[in-house]
Amino acid sequence: MAQCELVELGFGDVLCEAGDPIRHVYFPTASFISLISVVDKGSNLEVGLVGAEGMLGSSLLLGVGVSSLCALVQGAGPALRMEATQFSRELKRSAPVRERLNLYLYVLITQLTQMAACARYHLVEARLARWLLMTRDRAQSNEFRLTQEFLAYMLGVRRAGITRAASQLQQRRLIAYSRGKMRILDARGLEGVSCECYASAAQMYARVMA
Amino acid sequence: MAQCELVELGFGDVLCEAGDPIRHVYFPTASFISLISVVDKGSNLEVGLVGAEGMLGSSLLLGVGVSSLCALVQGAGPALRMEATQFSRELKRSAPVRERLNLYLYVLITQLTQMAACARYHLVEARLARWLLMTRDRAQSNEFRLTQEFLAYMLGVRRAGITRAASQLQQRRLIAYSRGKMRILDARGLEGVSCECYASAAQMYARVMA
DNA sequence: CCGCGGGTGTACGGCAACGCACCGACCTGG
DNA sequence: CCAGGTCGGTGCGTTGCCGTACACCCGCGG
């Protein structure tokens, strides 16, 4: 903690492009960050979401100082950050820290594999619901700012596809949104619409990190 | 090596179901293994391929003895295997081994994230070509046994979809196959048809493990 | 007050892949 | 030689999403 510096992450900030060397690791406190896989330019897909429960830069745990993903700030807010070199040094020193973070990396990996199948099979509406729930957990609030454009980018679909799905959810009084303001009205109901990926990921986290 | 036992893996063997505790780790020598993400039953997706270049059970590196993926033997052949507990002990002992395997785990993770986007965006034909190339590398042969049914399962598409794509490739004299026997005629040509995920993954492996 | 731009709703044609089903070709073994 | 199983090719209607494009609403600043 003493080695960390408190920084404010702004919405839309790119902390790291794919292939970049990792300068800092981040521990969001009340912010959250999307991990995005980039194949061709234009084909982007969110494969992970990091909030207060996790960290950005976990590949340093494996001794690799290069990120293979793009890190985009999804929810503005404070985070702690540490120099990558310092972080590596700290890892060497403390086995408990290492073990704990290893567990988190494991959870993250399972999240990745699940997201892969989710993006392949599940319908936009279900994925949208899942995304909203995951974001809610990390934002620790039922309300947050985001545009449909942005959602489309995250889920890798057309904006029009989001409009359709979101309208459906709104008609069923599960969410309320307008002009960049999203509010979740009925989280329980959303879980019903969402794919099990949400519940499954939450459960995985709880089980492993317990 | 001395702790390892030589075993013969049979085509179609399931070494590990999702959620199972890991009993053994495997180091394929001339066999290879698919890693499959299972969400709903029926919705399966291959997210990684392990051959002589890697190992099965790498989550033990993170101190977790439970697999989150299903491991299916894709190419029959010999492999070395070790008891999970022994493997963990060995890891503690040897830092060089740990570091080396950590690198592999990193490569595997990037493979996962890439597969996620690949399965989401790329067409069946391109994905099929990629799969054949990846398999060829691991089989170390231009010929191997596999049915369209099986391919469909791996790529998460209909068998009819594979028939279409495979026919196209065959018409262009890139492959030749019939009744479970697949032969690659023109690997270079296949690379052209395949998505860049193939080249990109191979390059990543070479760079990190060098 | 008006123009502008960000955010949203909607429409149309097109396409890849889906689910299903059936048939033919081939292999093997009794 | 035939029966049965495995494997591959094909067709049909359906669907979820794409690409593109246009129209609308609202707030803000000139």
Side-chain angles (χ1 to χ4, degrees):
Chain A
M1 284 282 291
Q3 319 245 6
C4 282
E5 168 190 15
L6 186 66
V7 292
E8 189 71 20
L9 303 182
F11 175 83
D13 287 359
V14 175
L15 301 181
C16 185
E17 297 272 9
D20 280 3
I22 299 176
R23 291 164 182 278
H24 298 92
V25 299
Y26 291 82
F27 301 89
T29 53
S31 49
F32 51 103
I33 302 165
S34 283
L35 303 178
I36 296 164
S37 170
V38 182
V39 275
D40 328 306
K41 73 166 187 170
S43 297
N44 308 303
L45 183 64
E46 190 199 49
V47 290
L49 198 49
V50 177
E53 87 290 351
M55 67 170 291
L56 177 66
S58 44
S59 70
L60 284 169
L61 288 166
L62 304 176
V64 180
V66 178
S67 170
S68 59
L69 296 172
C70 171
L72 180 66
V73 176
Q74 237 302 298
L80 295 166
R81 83 173 184 190
M82 192 190 288
E83 292 253 343
T85 52
Q86 220 157 21
F87 177 69
S88 298
R89 218 176 306 139
E90 213 55 40
L91 277 182
K92 279 212 188 83
R93 192 148 36 169
S94 164
V97 165
R98 215 166 45 225
E99 283 162 22
R100 187 82 185 147
L101 294 180
N102 273 340
L103 287 188
Y104 172 68
L105 180 52
Y106 175 81
V107 171
L108 189 61
I109 292 173
T110 64
Q111 205 183 115
L112 296 181
T113 63
Q114 192 150 27
M115 291 290 209
C118 181
R120 170 72 186 78
Y121 289 109
H122 296 152
L123 300 187
V124 173
E125 188 176 339
R127 293 211 289 143
L128 175 58
R130 170 185 61 70
W131 196 94
L132 292 172
L133 288 168
M134 289 181 63
T135 300
R136 169 175 173 268
D137 289 348
R138 278 147 187 95
Q140 288 152 351
S141 154
N142 278 318
E143 197 162 348
F144 36 86
R145 298 211 78 242
L146 76 125
T147 69
Q148 298 195 348
E149 187 85 41
F150 200 80
L151 273 169
Y153 178 79
M154 295 287 96
L155 298 182
V157 297
R158 287 179 318 154
R159 186 185 54 72
I162 298 293
T163 304
R164 272 177 99 54
S167 302
Q168 305 250 345
L169 296 182
Q170 186 154 22
Q171 269 179 11
R172 293 189 230 164
R173 311 264 178 246
L174 301 177
I175 64 172
Y177 77 108
S178 94
R179 312 197 70 67
K181 257 158 199 146
M182 173 67 67
R183 195 148 46 91
I184 292 180
L185 301 179
D186 178 0
R188 197 63 63 82
L190 266 187
E191 278 196 56
V193 177
S194 113
C195 42
E196 329 77 72
C197 300
Y198 170 67
S200 158
Q203 188 189 335
M204 168 64 69
Y205 181 80
R207 185 152 19 102
V208 174
M209 301 299 283
Chain B
M1 286 281 289
Q3 319 247 7
C4 283
E5 167 189 16
L6 186 65
V7 292
E8 189 71 19
L9 303 183
F11 175 82
D13 286 0
V14 175
L15 301 182
C16 185
E17 296 272 9
D20 281 3
I22 299 178
R23 292 164 182 277
H24 299 91
V25 299
Y26 291 82
F27 301 90
T29 54
S31 50
F32 51 105
I33 302 165
S34 283
L35 303 178
I36 294 163
S37 170
V38 182
V39 276
D40 328 305
K41 72 166 188 168
S43 298
N44 308 303
L45 183 64
E46 189 201 49
V47 291
L49 198 50
V50 177
E53 87 291 350
M55 67 170 290
L56 176 67
S58 45
S59 70
L60 283 170
L61 287 165
L62 304 176
V64 180
V66 178
S67 170
S68 59
L69 295 172
C70 171
L72 181 66
V73 176
Q74 236 303 296
L80 295 166
R81 84 174 183 189
M82 191 190 290
E83 291 254 343
T85 52
Q86 219 157 23
F87 177 69
S88 298
R89 219 176 304 139
E90 214 55 41
L91 276 181
K92 278 211 188 85
R93 191 147 38 169
S94 164
V97 165
R98 214 166 46 225
E99 283 161 21
R100 187 78 186 151
L101 294 180
N102 273 340
L103 287 187
Y104 172 67
L105 179 53
Y106 176 81
V107 171
L108 189 61
I109 293 172
T110 65
Q111 204 184 117
L112 296 182
T113 65
Q114 191 151 27
M115 291 292 210
C118 181
R120 170 72 185 76
Y121 289 111
H122 297 153
L123 301 187
V124 173
E125 188 177 338
R127 293 212 289 141
L128 174 58
R130 170 184 63 68
W131 196 93
L132 291 173
L133 288 167
M134 289 181 65
T135 299
R136 169 175 172 269
D137 290 350
R138 278 149 187 93
Q140 288 154 350
S141 156
N142 279 318
E143 198 161 349
F144 35 87
R145 297 211 80 243
L146 76 126
T147 67
Q148 297 195 349
E149 187 85 43
F150 200 79
L151 271 168
Y153 178 79
M154 296 286 94
L155 297 182
V157 297
R158 287 179 316 154
R159 187 184 53 75
I162 297 291
T163 303
R164 274 179 98 56
S167 302
Q168 305 251 344
L169 296 182
Q170 186 155 20
Q171 268 179 14
R172 293 188 230 163
R173 313 261 178 250
L174 301 177
I175 63 172
Y177 77 107
S178 92
R179 311 200 67 67
K181 259 162 196 142
M182 171 69 64
R183 194 149 47 92
I184 293 182
L185 300 178
D186 179 359
R188 197 64 61 80
L190 266 187
E191 277 195 57
V193 177
S194 113
C195 42
E196 329 78 72
C197 300
Y198 171 68
S200 159
Q203 190 188 334
M204 167 65 69
Y205 181 80
R207 184 153 20 101
V208 173
M209 300 299 284

